[in-house]
Amino acid sequence: MTIIKKNIIDIRQKIEHAALQVERNTKEIQLLAVSKKKSIIQIKEAYLAGQRLFGENYVQESIQKIQSIKNDCTFNDPICWHFIGPLQSNKTRLVAENFDWVQSIDRLKIAQRLSSQRPARLAPLNICLQINISAETSKSGITLAQIMLLASQVSKLENIKLRGIMAIPEKTPDTVHLSKQFKILHDIYLKLQSIYPDIDTLSMGMSADMKLAISCGSTMVRIGTDIFGSRN
Ligand SMILES: *Cc1c(COP(=O)(O)O)cnc(C)c1O
């Protein structure tokens, strides 16, 4: 068994365990394998372990990988590609044409461009609003005060489907503080869900804080390091 396959099996078990502890159904929690800076060979190992959801951060790098995988008949099941990195307006077209999801929406302009550039032959692009929950100036994402307005604006776009919210809380060993932030995100998620029925995704939790995120209601954990090893 490859290390990547073993890691995926371990993580799936950890997800199941974390869900059980808070009496949640494991099926409510999806695993997104974050493959930025990782090769097609490594993606293939994850794919052979049954992984079908992948997250990428860099436009150029990811389009190359997505295109080669599309032309590689050994990947016969479709992969669901999530764009999770910062997105500039001059790169929206490539993303609109190649991805299934964009989790890092923090401006109406980007969502408008994605909507108008989404090819008609493809299903609407699924999006999440990225929330800057720790209000760090270095991070992208909208503030809590901006969420309801942006949600109402993007929900009206034609080729976009608003599916939820995503956040990357600051790295901190303070689990009390972190769980407060996760709970705020969960509250926003429920509030949005009561207004927009398509909303089913609360994307929070990475390698370091997966278990806590699940206990606070995450429906999608984004795991890079614990699947593929560290990045340089
Ligand atoms: C890189 C990245 C991850 C994965 O982080 P790990 O700590 O390697 O698990 C998750 N989400 C986003 C938005 C990322 O950029």
Side-chain angles (χ1 to χ4, degrees):
M1 192 191 301
T2 65
I3 292 172
I4 289 174
K5 181 167 185 181
K6 182 184 176 301
N7 288 345
I8 287 180
I9 292 170
D10 284 353
I11 288 163
R12 292 200 180 282
Q13 261 165 12
K14 280 187 189 149
I15 292 173
E16 203 172 318
H17 190 238
L20 259 163
Q21 280 195 331
V22 290
E23 296 182 0
R24 293 187 60 201
N25 185 342
T26 317
K27 293 200 179 78
E28 289 171 19
I29 302 145
Q30 292 192 290
L31 172 60
L32 183 74
V34 178
S35 48
K36 63 180 171 221
K37 297 190 177 169
K38 301 295 171 181
S39 68
I40 292 178
I41 293 170
Q42 290 166 299
I43 293 174
K44 182 67 173 275
E45 288 180 9
Y47 175 90
L48 291 174
Q51 185 63 33
R52 294 293 180 271
L53 267 55
F54 289 88
E56 288 281 343
N57 291 58
Y58 310 107
V59 176
Q60 227 60 40
E61 174 198 325
S62 61
I63 302 299
Q64 278 175 7
K65 289 194 275 188
I66 292 173
Q67 289 298 337
S68 338
I69 286 172
K70 228 177 232 164
N71 296 323
D72 180 344
C73 60
T74 63
F75 288 88
N76 30 38
D77 281 357
I79 286 179
C80 186
W81 292 103
H82 290 236
F83 190 80
I84 59 174
L87 181 54
Q88 291 156 359
S89 46
N90 61 349
K91 302 217 171 116
T92 50
R93 182 176 295 281
L94 285 168
V95 170
E97 289 173 351
N98 288 278
F99 278 84
D100 304 289
W101 286 65
V102 177
Q103 295 198 12
S104 43
I105 297 293
D106 61 1
R107 278 180 292 157
L108 177 61
K109 184 183 165 198
I110 298 290
Q112 283 170 329
R113 289 177 64 91
L114 289 169
S115 176
S116 65
Q117 292 166 344
R118 182 69 168 171
R121 67 189 152 81
L122 299 178
L125 186 67
N126 299 293
I127 66 163
C128 292
L129 305 183
Q130 182 175 349
I131 297 170
N132 185 353
I133 187 67
S134 40
E136 288 172 280
T137 46
S138 61
K139 285 228 175 89
S140 34
I142 53 173
T143 65
L144 295 175
Q146 297 170 310
I147 297 167
M148 298 321 276
L149 176 60
L150 186 58
S152 93
Q153 290 168 328
V154 300
S155 70
K156 295 186 180 87
L157 295 173
E158 197 163 359
N159 301 313
I160 294 280
K161 197 173 196 176
L162 179 59
R163 296 291 293 273
I165 55 176
M166 183 273 265
I168 314 168
E170 65 195 307
K171 284 203 178 72
T172 167
D174 183 349
T175 52
V176 175
H177 179 63
L178 195 54
S179 78
K180 270 185 200 150
Q181 299 195 330
F182 282 148
K183 281 174 188 152
I184 293 171
L185 291 164
H186 187 243
D187 287 344
I188 298 163
Y189 166 69
L190 293 179
K191 184 173 170 192
L192 286 169
Q193 203 172 39
S194 71
I195 305 172
Y196 307 101
D198 286 334
I199 287 191
D200 57 5
T201 303
L202 175 54
S203 173
M204 61 184 195
M206 304 174 27
S207 294
D209 53 18
M210 183 180 88
K211 189 173 173 219
L212 190 62
I214 291 171
S215 75
C216 297
S218 169
T219 72
M220 187 181 288
V221 291
R222 308 179 309 269
I223 308 297
T225 308
D226 283 358
I227 293 178
F228 297 108
S230 61
R231 296 172 294 270
N232 14 333

